[in-house]
Amino acid sequence: MEQRDWPAEYAELTAADRRAPLPPAQLDRLAVAAFVLGHDAEVAAYRERAVEAHLAAGDTDAAIRSGFWLGFHLQQHGDLSQAAGWQARITRLVPEGNAELAGRLVMADAALKMNSGDPAAALPLFEQNLQWATEPDTMVLAALGRGNCLAMLGRGAEALLALDEAMVHVTGGQVGPEVTGMAYCSVIALCLNMYDICRAQEWTRALTGWCDSQPGLVPYRGACLVHRAQILQFRGAWSEAADAAEDACRRLSAGTVGSAWYRLAEVERQRGRFDAAERAYLTAAADGMDVQPGLARLRSAQGRVDVAIAGLERALAEDPFSPHRPMLLAARVELAIECGDRETARKSAAELNELARADSPYLQAFAAYSEGAVRIACGDPQGAIPALRRAWSLWQRLEMPYEGARTRLLVGQACRALGDVDAEQMEIDSARAVFERLGAVVELAALDSDRAVGLSPRELEVLRLLATGATNRAIAEQLFLSERTVARHVSNIFGKLGVNSRSAATAYAYEHGLTG
């Protein structure tokens, strides 16, 4: 696509339109310029005027094309009823025997079916359009539609191939900005949903390059902002991720904004802003978003582990085939370890490993991290280190510094259990440097509290109460736990501190400043 000075073109056309109504072709150009600059509310009005102006000039074919793009714009903004109305109108205008224009209408109908939640009906229509499409824009739209339908039908690998086909035309620079932006957003969304983070990052870099080449273009809007926020969060750019998520919260409408609030909650939780995270999770839930496993991790950080586990168990039981199951299992492993429930931790880690596809370094990293954590909890620090080293290597490849630093803390914990205090300190120092750069206040506070001994937040609470002389029953009542759970915590504390009595654990707590 040719490079154009969009701000200048928009200013020139709007000024001319104020002097006298623009001719239809110019209205179509103005609609594109308005879209590129983020003036979405103006686009439909300019397209409507273009349709009427083309008809008034007797150019029915051009009117149909303008109507097609009007319907496309309305569908992208969720205005399906209006889009259907315009499609019905322009359908009556298509002359018999014009395959190209008839094909556009078939594709518009396919898009309506897909966006209404019927990918099975839409898929053959998109595939039919791929046979006749000759213009780059319509070829890409057909391929994108086919890819998204395949994804909705659970045929992820085929969907990625279909979107790769579409992107061949996009990267060739022959596609208009409206379709190009949607294409990038679609492929990035699918990659994220399939846990193909490397590919999502590659396409994000390509999208950034394309945006930079278009002066004045507003590159990220709506759902694409949520994807951008997730990529930025992965990279440790938390402030920018929060900004993108907040922008998406403002732009998206009810029924679709839940994902934006959930992403904002995830960023705020990592930044240690628990009150803001809680408000965002609740807002996401109000929009119909399932807020697990993020809310469970927040509850755990707040010391409400039993509530966190209940939320995860509900989510895991609700849909055994949920695409989010790997992330639910990863969180379940950590919470089970925190509670001393080694059997649940083992089972969850084993299932996560089964779901970790070989073509997803992201899932492989979580599986390796979980395996290492379980091995440490089960008294096998030597066996944990290879798994954790693999996880750290994968996090590095994925450019995910926060997860990499958390992994190094576990390596340090394993080294400490093996008596290698030098290696332990090096791992902790490396992790601390990353946390300081990211602004990970929760992890830094934990390190400053000398939790590097390996105690979980709940175990630290139990130790503090134990150090006051409280019995297991008293601790259970104060923390709203069962005595059996407290007994497991006490046993874990003894193992991690290398002591064998309550008095020795109490002495350790006072010596290391863990009682405050």
Side-chain angles (χ1 to χ4, degrees):
M1 187 186 71
E2 61 178 314
Q3 182 173 338
R4 287 150 71 172
D5 187 340
W6 296 108
E9 184 161 335
Y10 177 80
E12 176 186 336
L13 290 171
T14 51
D17 194 40
R18 284 193 294 269
R19 292 191 297 270
L22 290 173
Q26 298 291 77
L27 285 169
D28 283 324
R29 285 180 57 199
L30 180 53
V32 175
F35 169 81
V36 168
L37 297 178
H39 306 313
D40 289 345
E42 302 175 13
V43 175
Y46 291 135
R47 288 291 191 189
E48 288 181 20
R49 287 177 57 194
V51 172
E52 301 299 345
H54 281 304
L55 288 174
D59 192 345
T60 303
D61 287 3
I64 292 169
R65 287 185 173 86
S66 292
F68 172 81
W69 290 113
L70 171 57
F72 169 81
H73 179 78
L74 291 170
Q75 286 200 47
Q76 288 301 107
H77 286 77
D79 300 321
L80 302 186
S81 296
Q82 292 185 55
W86 275 100
Q87 181 181 337
R89 181 181 178 189
I90 62 175
T91 296
R92 293 194 298 271
L93 300 175
V94 177
E96 189 174 346
N98 191 320
E100 192 270 337
L101 291 178
R104 284 179 180 267
L105 296 181
V106 171
M107 187 149 58
D109 182 48
L112 278 172
K113 286 180 167 58
M114 179 183 72
N115 290 325
S116 299
D118 191 0
L123 179 59
L125 299 179
F126 282 123
E127 291 177 334
Q128 173 186 332
N129 274 272
L130 278 172
Q131 302 302 314
W132 62 258
T134 56
E135 297 179 4
D137 280 354
T138 50
M139 292 171 67
V140 170
L141 285 176
L144 286 176
R146 178 173 180 269
N148 281 304
C149 286
L150 289 169
M152 293 169 71
L153 293 168
R155 296 160 63 180
E158 294 175 74
L160 280 174
L161 288 175
L163 292 183
D164 281 346
E165 177 186 346
M167 296 308 291
V168 169
H169 301 287
V170 172
T171 55
Q174 301 302 310
V175 181
E178 293 166 298
V179 177
T180 296
M182 188 184 75
Y184 275 114
C185 192
S186 292
V187 73
I188 292 168
L190 181 59
C191 290
L192 290 173
N193 290 338
M194 292 189 65
Y195 302 109
D196 193 342
I197 308 304
C198 290
R199 184 181 260 176
Q201 290 171 332
E202 289 173 7
W203 283 121
T204 299
R205 283 190 285 269
L207 172 58
T208 300
W210 173 72
C211 293
D212 291 343
S213 72
Q214 303 294 316
L217 181 140
V218 176
Y220 302 101
R221 49 190 91 188
C224 203
L225 278 166
V226 182
H227 309 148
R228 175 171 169 75
Q230 188 170 358
I231 293 292
L232 288 168
Q233 183 184 6
F234 285 164
R235 292 179 179 172
W238 292 348
S239 294
E240 293 90 337
D243 290 343
E246 288 173 349
D247 197 2
C249 291
R250 289 189 292 268
R251 289 174 178 265
L252 291 172
S253 57
T256 60
V257 74
S259 61
W261 283 107
Y262 182 80
R263 185 51 47 195
L264 179 60
E266 288 287 87
V267 178
E268 298 291 35
R269 176 179 59 79
Q270 282 193 333
R271 295 204 290 181
R273 301 179 179 183
F274 292 163
D275 289 343
E278 175 133 8
R279 289 193 296 271
Y281 282 128
L282 293 177
T283 307
D287 194 60
M289 183 82 180
D290 190 337
V291 292
Q292 298 296 355
L295 183 59
R297 291 188 179 278
L298 176 64
R299 291 287 178 253
S300 175
Q302 293 169 330
R304 302 172 62 186
V305 179
D306 290 354
V307 174
I309 289 174
L312 283 179
E313 291 290 354
R314 187 272 310 161
L316 284 164
E318 188 169 316
D319 182 4
F321 303 103
S322 167
H324 304 298
R325 191 170 185 83
M327 296 301 96
L328 294 170
L329 289 168
R332 190 66 184 92
V333 170
E334 293 190 43
L335 292 184
I337 290 172
E338 187 172 338
C339 290
D341 185 355
R342 297 173 185 172
E343 186 58 29
T344 297
R346 283 196 200 96
K347 289 181 179 178
S348 299
E351 184 180 351
L352 174 57
N353 188 59
E354 291 177 2
L355 295 176
R357 306 187 315 270
D359 63 348
S360 174
Y362 182 75
L363 293 181
Q364 289 283 324
F366 268 112
Y369 176 91
S370 297
E371 178 189 347
V374 169
R375 285 184 178 274
I376 291 173
C378 294
D380 182 18
Q382 190 70 61
I385 290 178
L388 294 172
R389 296 288 191 202
R390 170 169 164 72
W392 182 81
S393 177
L394 290 169
W395 295 133
Q396 291 293 101
R397 174 182 168 190
L398 292 164
E399 302 177 50
M400 297 177 67
Y402 175 75
E403 286 74 11
R406 291 182 72 236
T407 303
R408 297 201 74 163
L409 285 183
L410 275 187
V411 175
Q413 187 176 328
C415 291
R416 181 182 186 280
L418 294 169
D420 190 348
V421 293
D422 287 337
E424 175 199 11
Q425 193 59 51
M426 285 187 284
E427 296 295 336
I428 291 173
D429 289 346
S430 296
R432 180 188 292 275
V434 174
F435 291 143
E436 288 176 346
R437 176 168 58 83
L438 296 175
V441 296
V442 174
E443 286 73 18
L444 289 171
L447 288 173
D448 291 340
S449 297
D450 196 21
R451 291 186 202 173
V453 294
L455 298 183
S456 70
R458 179 62 89 184
E459 288 167 347
L460 189 60
E461 285 184 299
V462 171
L463 176 60
R464 286 170 176 163
L465 291 173
L466 181 153
T468 68
T471 63
N472 283 5
R473 175 173 292 183
I475 294 171
E477 291 175 353
Q478 186 156 343
L479 297 181
F480 302 101
L481 301 173
S482 69
E483 284 191 61
R484 182 178 178 182
T485 297
V486 171
R488 281 205 306 266
H489 283 315
V490 172
S491 176
N492 289 340
I493 290 166
F494 285 2
K496 290 180 179 180
L497 300 185
V499 300
N500 56 17
S501 69
R502 298 173 83 89
S503 60
T506 298
Y508 187 101
Y510 278 102
E511 289 171 7
H512 291 80
L514 300 178
T515 58

